[in-house]
Amino acid sequence: MPSPPPPNHIAIIMDGNGRWAKRQGLMRLLGHRAGVKTVRRIVEDCQRLGVGVLTLYAFSTENWNRPKEEVSGLMDLLKNFLRSELERMLKNGVRLQAIGQLQNLPTEVYEVLQETISKTAHCQGMVLNLALSYGGRSELLQAMQAISTKCVTGSIRPEDITEAMVDEHLYTAGLPEPDLLIRTGGEARLSNFLLWQSSYAEIFFTDTAWPDFNLKDLTGAISDYHGRQRRFGRTGEQVADDATTADVTVESTQ
Ligand code: FPP
């Protein structure tokens, strides 16, 4: 039997770099450096598996409150990652996107980010979406401000506001919702990540720290996802009936 397709959109909270480093008596930044190597591997793995969108939570709005040296170390890692990965992204058809308060990034990082986004804009393969200076609450807040401005200026009425309109005002406008959300590092919380978009994501928590996360962990999370029944508020029987009807339709058209 052919294996089922991978989730179209996988979103990952890459946690545990600092503890990984500490366990080995290393500086936190070396944990983040090891985390970048995992990013490289997992991007390639997801692309080979046929994932449509991979969103990585690389830096949150709250991460600005970390010690200055850690913040600037992370920004350097990000800049170097973008510079070193451009060729590989172009070769593999990976299109880079970014979500968050990007204007708050240091100028050099912002510029290399925008440059990589525009140089990969024609790529037709997987979308690599980096969440940078990202916070779900501030994303919702700016959407509410933009929509309420439209109400005040009279271009829409409050009763015209729809879920689709909210979607269009988020940083993720145009991207599908995450199907599978993975958090590494042993914590079980969303930490302000994709709060609106993850309403129906299947969530997978693993104790594995991000630097140790590998293809086996990824395929494990994907097979766990395949074992779940996504009901979107309906009953299990309704979903099973729909799947049977879909199978019959596929068979009769083959
Ligand atoms: C959380 O681990 C991780 C981060 C705040 C940063 C994640 C960044 C990277 C993996 C590298 C840069 C990213 C790219 C895309 C090049 P933590 O430090 O909170 O770990 P801890 O909870 O063990 O302290």
Side-chain angles (χ1 to χ4, degrees), residues 13-21 28 31-36 39 56-60 63 66 70 74 77-79 81-82 128 130 132 183 185 187 210:
I13 302 176
M14 309 181 287
D15 195 18
N17 295 345
R19 280 164 289 155
W20 179 91
R28 291 180 57 80
H32 295 312
R33 195 182 287 175
V36 176
V39 169
L56 298 177
Y57 202 6
F59 196 85
S60 72
N63 287 153
R66 291 197 173 196
E70 184 168 342
L74 275 165
L77 285 175
L78 183 63
K79 195 171 58 190
F81 168 82
L82 292 168
L128 171 60
L130 297 182
L132 294 168
R183 180 174 186 143
E187 311 285 359
W210 179 247

Side-chain angles (χ1 to χ4, degrees), residues 72-236:
S72 65
L74 275 165
M75 291 300 140
D76 282 346
L77 285 175
L78 183 63
K79 195 171 58 190
N80 296 338
F81 168 82
L82 292 168
R83 285 197 181 128
S84 66
E85 288 311 288
L86 176 63
E87 284 308 309
R88 205 193 311 246
M89 284 187 211
L90 291 171
K91 183 170 140 256
N92 293 335
V94 172
R95 179 153 51 97
L96 186 75
Q97 292 196 10
I99 53 172
Q101 296 174 340
L102 306 180
Q103 71 285 357
N104 291 346
L105 294 169
T107 315
E108 266 200 309
V109 177
Y110 181 82
E111 283 174 1
V112 68
L113 179 69
Q114 293 304 338
E115 194 183 318
T116 316
I117 290 174
S118 77
K119 285 188 172 157
T120 60
H122 64 283
C123 292
Q124 299 289 319
M126 186 179 83
V127 171
L128 171 60
N129 181 35
L130 297 182
L132 294 168
S133 188
Y134 174 86
R137 287 185 178 179
S138 62
E139 177 184 39
L140 283 165
L141 188 62
Q142 63 81 33
M144 287 176 202
Q145 287 167 343
I147 294 172
S148 51
T149 302
K150 288 182 183 169
C151 288
V152 171
T153 55
S155 61
I156 57 167
R157 296 167 305 168
E159 56 271 33
D160 296 332
I161 302 170
T162 59
E163 290 189 8
M165 192 182 292
V166 176
D167 280 337
E168 284 160 22
H169 285 81
L170 298 177
Y171 300 134
T172 48
L175 289 174
E177 288 180 8
D179 301 293
L180 171 63
L181 191 156
I182 299 171
R183 180 174 186 143
T184 63
E187 311 285 359
R189 53 177 171 260
L190 287 179
S191 298
N192 207 8
F193 188 45
L194 300 177
L195 298 180
W196 170 278
Q197 300 89 333
S198 293
S199 301
Y200 278 99
E202 297 299 328
I203 306 187
F204 183 87
F205 297 111
T206 171
D207 287 338
T208 305
W210 179 247
D212 289 332
F213 192 79
N214 60 24
L215 177 61
K216 194 159 163 268
D217 298 305
L218 176 68
T219 51
I222 294 176
S223 47
D224 183 89
Y225 166 86
H226 283 137
R228 304 206 194 165
Q229 187 188 47
R230 302 189 78 191
R231 291 196 286 277
F232 299 98
R234 296 184 305 157
T235 67

